[in-house]
Amino acid sequence: MKKRKKQHTIGPLSTLYACLVYLFLYLPIIMVIIYSFNTKDNNIVFEGFSLEGYRSLLHNSALLDSFWMTVKLAVVSTFISVVLGTLATIGLHRYQFRLKGLINSLLYIPIVIPELIIGVASLATFTILGFDMGFATLVIAHVTFCLPFVIVNIRARIAGFDPAIEEAAMDLGATRLHTLRRVTIPMLVPGIISGALISITLSLDDLVISSFVYGRDITFPIKVYGMVRGKVTTDVYALSTLMILGTVLIYSTAQLIQKRLVKERT
Protein backbone atom coordinates (compact mmCIF):
# COMPACT_ATOMS: atom_id res chain seq x y z
CA MET A 1 0.00 0.00 0.00
CA LYS A 2 1.17 3.49 -0.80
CA LYS A 3 1.85 5.71 2.15
CA ARG A 4 -0.32 8.79 2.26
CA LYS A 5 1.61 12.00 2.25
CA LYS A 6 1.46 13.88 5.49
CA GLN A 7 -0.43 17.12 5.14
CA HIS A 8 0.95 20.10 7.01
CA THR A 9 -1.33 22.75 8.46
CA ILE A 10 -0.33 26.36 9.06
CA GLY A 11 -0.66 28.03 12.42
CA PRO A 12 -2.61 31.18 13.33
CA LEU A 13 0.44 33.43 12.94
CA SER A 14 1.10 32.13 9.44
CA THR A 15 -2.57 32.62 8.57
CA LEU A 16 -2.45 36.18 9.88
CA TYR A 17 0.71 36.87 7.91
CA ALA A 18 -0.85 35.53 4.71
CA CYS A 19 -3.96 37.66 5.23
CA LEU A 20 -1.83 40.78 5.74
CA VAL A 21 0.12 40.06 2.55
CA TYR A 22 -3.07 39.67 0.51
CA LEU A 23 -4.53 42.78 2.12
CA PHE A 24 -1.41 44.72 1.15
CA LEU A 25 -1.70 43.48 -2.44
CA TYR A 26 -5.43 43.94 -2.97
CA LEU A 27 -6.33 46.94 -0.77
CA PRO A 28 -5.53 49.51 -3.51
CA ILE A 29 -7.70 47.56 -5.98
CA ILE A 30 -10.52 47.37 -3.45
CA MET A 31 -10.30 51.13 -2.84
CA VAL A 32 -10.55 51.82 -6.58
CA ILE A 33 -13.73 49.73 -6.76
CA ILE A 34 -15.23 51.42 -3.67
CA TYR A 35 -14.49 54.93 -4.95
CA SER A 36 -16.13 54.13 -8.28
CA PHE A 37 -19.45 54.22 -6.36
CA ASN A 38 -18.67 57.48 -4.52
CA THR A 39 -21.39 60.14 -4.53
CA LYS A 40 -18.76 62.89 -4.32
CA ASP A 41 -16.88 63.52 -7.57
CA ASN A 42 -13.33 63.37 -6.19
CA ASN A 43 -10.80 60.93 -4.77
CA ILE A 44 -10.42 62.47 -1.30
CA VAL A 45 -13.64 61.95 0.64
CA PHE A 46 -16.03 59.01 0.34
CA GLU A 47 -19.55 60.21 1.13
CA GLY A 48 -21.73 57.30 0.04
CA PHE A 49 -22.66 54.79 -2.65
CA SER A 50 -24.01 55.90 -6.01
CA LEU A 51 -23.97 54.83 -9.67
CA GLU A 52 -23.43 58.40 -10.88
CA GLY A 53 -19.80 57.65 -11.81
CA TYR A 54 -20.91 54.91 -14.21
CA ARG A 55 -23.63 57.16 -15.67
CA SER A 56 -21.20 60.03 -16.28
CA LEU A 57 -18.75 57.58 -17.86
CA LEU A 58 -21.22 56.90 -20.67
CA HIS A 59 -21.16 60.61 -21.58
CA ASN A 60 -17.40 61.17 -21.20
CA SER A 61 -16.37 60.67 -24.82
CA ALA A 62 -12.77 61.82 -24.27
CA LEU A 63 -12.19 59.22 -21.55
CA LEU A 64 -13.88 56.45 -23.55
CA ASP A 65 -11.88 57.33 -26.67
CA SER A 66 -8.62 57.06 -24.72
CA PHE A 67 -9.76 53.71 -23.31
CA TRP A 68 -10.62 52.24 -26.73
CA MET A 69 -7.34 53.56 -28.10
CA THR A 70 -5.53 51.71 -25.29
CA VAL A 71 -7.45 48.49 -25.96
CA LYS A 72 -6.82 48.67 -29.72
CA LEU A 73 -3.13 49.36 -29.12
CA ALA A 74 -2.83 46.45 -26.67
CA VAL A 75 -4.58 44.00 -29.01
CA VAL A 76 -2.55 44.97 -32.10
CA SER A 77 0.82 45.07 -30.31
CA THR A 78 0.10 41.77 -28.52
CA PHE A 79 -0.89 40.04 -31.77
CA ILE A 80 2.31 41.18 -33.50
CA SER A 81 4.44 40.31 -30.46
CA VAL A 82 2.94 36.81 -30.19
CA VAL A 83 3.40 36.04 -33.89
CA LEU A 84 6.98 37.32 -34.02
CA GLY A 85 7.81 35.84 -30.62
CA THR A 86 6.52 32.38 -31.52
CA LEU A 87 8.44 32.25 -34.80
CA ALA A 88 11.59 33.66 -33.21
CA THR A 89 11.47 31.15 -30.34
CA ILE A 90 11.02 28.19 -32.69
CA GLY A 91 13.88 29.41 -34.88
CA LEU A 92 16.24 30.01 -31.95
CA HIS A 93 15.43 26.60 -30.47
CA ARG A 94 15.60 24.54 -33.64
CA TYR A 95 18.51 26.00 -35.62
CA GLN A 96 22.17 26.57 -34.91
CA PHE A 97 23.86 29.62 -36.40
CA ARG A 98 26.55 32.19 -35.72
CA LEU A 99 25.99 34.72 -32.93
CA LYS A 100 23.09 32.68 -31.56
CA GLY A 101 24.36 33.10 -28.01
CA LEU A 102 24.71 36.86 -28.50
CA ILE A 103 21.18 37.16 -29.86
CA ASN A 104 19.81 35.16 -26.92
CA SER A 105 21.58 37.54 -24.53
CA LEU A 106 20.37 40.65 -26.35
CA LEU A 107 16.76 39.56 -25.89
CA TYR A 108 16.98 40.32 -22.17
CA ILE A 109 18.20 43.91 -22.60
CA PRO A 110 14.72 45.46 -23.13
CA ILE A 111 13.55 43.61 -20.02
CA VAL A 112 16.23 44.92 -17.65
CA ILE A 113 16.79 48.48 -18.87
CA PRO A 114 14.45 51.23 -17.56
CA GLU A 115 11.39 52.13 -19.61
CA LEU A 116 12.55 55.75 -19.62
CA ILE A 117 15.56 54.80 -21.73
CA ILE A 118 13.40 52.81 -24.15
CA GLY A 119 11.07 55.79 -24.47
CA VAL A 120 13.89 58.25 -25.15
CA ALA A 121 15.53 55.85 -27.62
CA SER A 122 12.22 55.29 -29.42
CA LEU A 123 11.61 59.03 -29.68
CA ALA A 124 15.11 59.66 -31.04
CA THR A 125 14.80 56.82 -33.57
CA PHE A 126 11.40 57.90 -34.88
CA THR A 127 12.56 61.51 -35.11
CA ILE A 128 15.67 60.59 -37.10
CA LEU A 129 13.64 58.38 -39.45
CA GLY A 130 11.08 61.15 -39.94
CA PHE A 131 8.10 59.25 -38.52
CA ASP A 132 4.97 61.17 -37.51
CA MET A 133 4.07 60.30 -33.94
CA GLY A 134 0.80 58.42 -33.73
CA PHE A 135 -0.73 54.97 -33.53
CA ALA A 136 1.98 53.35 -35.69
CA THR A 137 4.82 54.61 -33.48
CA LEU A 138 2.92 53.46 -30.38
CA VAL A 139 2.55 49.97 -31.83
CA ILE A 140 6.24 49.73 -32.78
CA ALA A 141 7.35 50.94 -29.34
CA HIS A 142 5.02 48.55 -27.52
CA VAL A 143 6.08 45.58 -29.63
CA THR A 144 9.71 46.47 -28.87
CA PHE A 145 9.33 46.04 -25.11
CA CYS A 146 6.61 43.34 -25.15
CA LEU A 147 8.36 40.97 -27.58
CA PRO A 148 11.14 39.81 -25.17
CA PHE A 149 8.58 38.91 -22.50
CA VAL A 150 6.66 36.80 -25.02
CA ILE A 151 9.83 35.02 -26.15
CA VAL A 152 10.90 34.28 -22.56
CA ASN A 153 7.53 32.67 -21.77
CA ILE A 154 7.44 30.56 -24.93
CA ARG A 155 11.07 29.50 -24.44
CA ALA A 156 10.17 28.14 -21.02
CA ARG A 157 7.54 25.98 -22.71
CA ILE A 158 9.66 24.87 -25.66
CA ALA A 159 12.56 23.89 -23.37
CA GLY A 160 10.73 20.67 -22.46
CA PHE A 161 9.56 20.01 -25.99
CA ASP A 162 10.42 16.56 -27.34
CA PRO A 163 11.73 16.90 -30.95
CA ALA A 164 10.89 13.24 -31.54
CA ILE A 165 7.21 14.25 -31.80
CA GLU A 166 7.96 16.47 -34.80
CA GLU A 167 10.15 13.77 -36.34
CA ALA A 168 7.37 11.21 -35.93
CA ALA A 169 4.89 13.53 -37.65
CA MET A 170 7.22 14.06 -40.61
CA ASP A 171 7.96 10.32 -40.80
CA LEU A 172 4.22 9.79 -41.20
CA GLY A 173 4.17 12.10 -44.23
CA ALA A 174 3.53 15.54 -42.76
CA THR A 175 5.36 18.47 -44.33
CA ARG A 176 7.35 20.94 -42.22
CA LEU A 177 4.60 23.54 -42.51
CA HIS A 178 1.91 21.01 -41.59
CA THR A 179 3.99 19.82 -38.63
CA LEU A 180 4.44 23.42 -37.49
CA ARG A 181 0.70 24.10 -37.66
CA ARG A 182 -0.63 20.81 -36.28
CA VAL A 183 2.09 19.69 -33.86
CA THR A 184 4.59 22.37 -32.82
CA ILE A 185 2.34 25.38 -32.28
CA PRO A 186 -0.43 23.42 -30.44
CA MET A 187 2.22 22.12 -28.04
CA LEU A 188 3.33 25.71 -27.39
CA VAL A 189 -0.17 27.09 -26.77
CA PRO A 190 0.20 27.37 -22.94
CA GLY A 191 3.39 29.39 -23.35
CA ILE A 192 1.82 31.50 -26.09
CA ILE A 193 -1.19 32.27 -23.88
CA SER A 194 1.06 33.23 -20.96
CA GLY A 195 3.15 35.48 -23.18
CA ALA A 196 0.03 37.09 -24.66
CA LEU A 197 -1.38 37.81 -21.19
CA ILE A 198 1.85 39.45 -20.07
CA SER A 199 2.10 41.42 -23.30
CA ILE A 200 -1.44 42.77 -23.14
CA THR A 201 -1.00 43.66 -19.46
CA LEU A 202 2.22 45.57 -20.12
CA SER A 203 0.65 47.40 -23.06
CA LEU A 204 -2.51 48.40 -21.18
CA ASP A 205 -0.47 49.64 -18.23
CA ASP A 206 2.30 51.48 -20.06
CA LEU A 207 2.71 55.20 -19.42
CA VAL A 208 6.40 56.05 -19.66
CA ILE A 209 7.18 54.77 -23.17
CA SER A 210 3.81 55.85 -24.60
CA SER A 211 4.28 59.41 -23.33
CA PHE A 212 7.29 59.83 -25.65
CA VAL A 213 5.69 58.57 -28.89
CA TYR A 214 1.92 59.03 -28.64
CA GLY A 215 1.35 62.07 -30.84
CA ARG A 216 -2.40 62.80 -30.99
CA ASP A 217 -3.45 59.29 -29.96
CA ILE A 218 -3.86 59.65 -26.19
CA THR A 219 -4.02 56.40 -24.25
CA PHE A 220 -5.91 55.84 -21.00
CA PRO A 221 -2.80 55.90 -18.74
CA ILE A 222 -1.66 59.20 -20.31
CA LYS A 223 -5.17 60.63 -19.91
CA VAL A 224 -5.36 59.67 -16.23
CA TYR A 225 -1.83 60.92 -15.52
CA GLY A 226 -2.82 64.30 -16.94
CA MET A 227 -5.73 64.42 -14.49
CA VAL A 228 -3.65 63.59 -11.41
CA ARG A 229 -2.47 67.16 -10.94
CA GLY A 230 -6.06 68.34 -10.85
CA LYS A 231 -8.88 65.99 -9.91
CA VAL A 232 -9.40 62.32 -10.69
CA THR A 233 -13.14 62.08 -11.20
CA THR A 234 -15.38 59.20 -10.22
CA ASP A 235 -15.89 58.07 -13.82
CA VAL A 236 -12.16 57.28 -13.99
CA TYR A 237 -12.59 54.95 -11.03
CA ALA A 238 -15.65 53.44 -12.72
CA LEU A 239 -13.72 52.75 -15.93
CA SER A 240 -10.80 51.36 -13.90
CA THR A 241 -13.20 49.00 -12.13
CA LEU A 242 -14.54 47.77 -15.46
CA MET A 243 -10.96 47.21 -16.65
CA ILE A 244 -10.24 45.18 -13.51
CA LEU A 245 -13.30 43.00 -14.14
CA GLY A 246 -12.32 42.58 -17.79
CA THR A 247 -8.79 41.58 -16.81
CA VAL A 248 -10.10 38.99 -14.35
CA LEU A 249 -12.42 37.61 -17.03
CA ILE A 250 -9.60 37.33 -19.59
CA TYR A 251 -7.29 35.67 -17.06
CA SER A 252 -9.97 33.21 -15.95
CA THR A 253 -10.76 32.31 -19.56
CA ALA A 254 -7.08 31.75 -20.30
CA GLN A 255 -6.76 29.51 -17.24
CA LEU A 256 -9.74 27.42 -18.35
CA ILE A 257 -8.27 27.03 -21.83
CA GLN A 258 -4.91 25.95 -20.42
CA LYS A 259 -6.53 23.42 -18.08
CA ARG A 260 -8.58 22.00 -20.94
CA LEU A 261 -5.46 21.64 -23.10
CA VAL A 262 -3.64 19.87 -20.27
CA LYS A 263 -6.54 17.42 -19.82
CA GLU A 264 -6.65 16.67 -23.53
CA ARG A 265 -2.95 15.74 -23.52
CA THR A 266 -3.09 13.56 -20.41
Side-chain angles (χ1 to χ4, degrees):
M1 295 179 61
K2 293 183 178 179
K3 293 183 178 179
R4 297 182 61 183
K5 293 182 179 180
K6 185 179 179 181
Q7 295 182 348
H8 299 278
T9 57
I10 60 175
L13 291 178
S14 299
T15 303
L16 177 63
Y17 174 75
C19 292
L20 291 175
V21 170
Y22 277 98
L23 181 65
F24 175 77
L25 292 174
Y26 289 100
L27 183 60
I29 298 176
I30 295 172
M31 295 305 298
V32 167
I33 297 174
I34 291 175
Y35 270 90
S36 69
F37 297 99
N38 193 8
T39 56
K40 192 173 181 63
D41 194 23
N42 62 43
N43 59 337
I44 300 175
V45 179
F46 185 84
E47 291 187 345
F49 285 91
S50 172
L51 295 175
E52 186 59 35
Y54 292 89
R55 295 193 190 98
S56 62
L57 174 63
L58 298 176
H59 303 286
N60 194 335
S61 59
L63 189 63
L64 290 175
D65 288 343
S66 66
F67 168 72
W68 290 118
M69 173 58 63
T70 303
V71 172
K72 182 171 70 171
L73 173 62
V75 171
V76 173
S77 59
T78 297
F79 177 77
I80 297 174
S81 298
V82 167
V83 172
L84 295 179
T86 303
L87 296 177
T89 304
I90 294 173
L92 289 171
H93 177 77
R94 181 179 294 174
Y95 302 106
Q96 298 295 328
F97 51 88
R98 281 187 174 185
L99 303 179
K100 179 178 178 179
L102 177 62
I103 293 175
N104 283 327
S105 301
L106 291 176
L107 287 173
Y108 292 94
I109 292 180
I111 297 177
V112 298
I113 64 176
E115 290 188 5
L116 179 64
I117 297 177
I118 298 178
V120 173
S122 299
L123 175 61
T125 302
F126 294 142
T127 302
I128 293 172
L129 296 176
F131 283 24
D132 294 328
M133 300 301 171
F135 184 74
T137 55
L138 280 168
V139 170
I140 295 172
H142 279 223
V143 170
T144 300
F145 75 86
C146 288
L147 183 59
F149 290 93
V150 175
I151 294 176
V152 168
N153 276 274
I154 300 178
R155 285 180 65 176
R157 175 67 181 176
I158 205 172
F161 187 75
D162 188 0
I165 300 176
E166 290 181 323
E167 295 173 0
M170 287 186 285
D171 288 341
L172 293 173
T175 62
R176 287 187 176 273
L177 181 60
H178 192 74
T179 303
L180 177 67
R181 289 177 52 248
R182 301 298 299 271
V183 178
T184 307
I185 292 180
M187 292 291 291
L188 299 179
V189 165
I192 293 173
I193 293 176
S194 299
L197 288 175
I198 292 178
S199 176
I200 201 168
T201 301
L202 291 173
S203 183
L204 288 172
D205 185 57
D206 181 70
L207 168 66
V208 178
I209 297 176
S210 298
S211 62
F212 283 93
V213 298
Y214 69 93
R216 295 181 180 179
D217 299 307
I218 299 177
T219 61
F220 181 67
I222 295 175
K223 180 71 174 178
V224 174
Y225 182 73
M227 301 173 65
V228 169
R229 297 180 181 178
K231 180 179 69 173
V232 180
T233 54
T234 309
D235 50 4
V236 174
Y237 287 94
L239 183 53
S240 300
T241 301
L242 295 176
M243 291 180 68
I244 292 171
L245 295 177
T247 302
V248 172
L249 179 62
I250 292 173
Y251 176 77
S252 301
T253 304
Q255 289 293 103
L256 290 175
I257 293 173
Q258 287 185 333
K259 288 181 180 179
R260 182 174 297 179
L261 291 173
V262 171
K263 287 182 179 180
E264 289 177 356
R265 290 183 172 87
T266 55

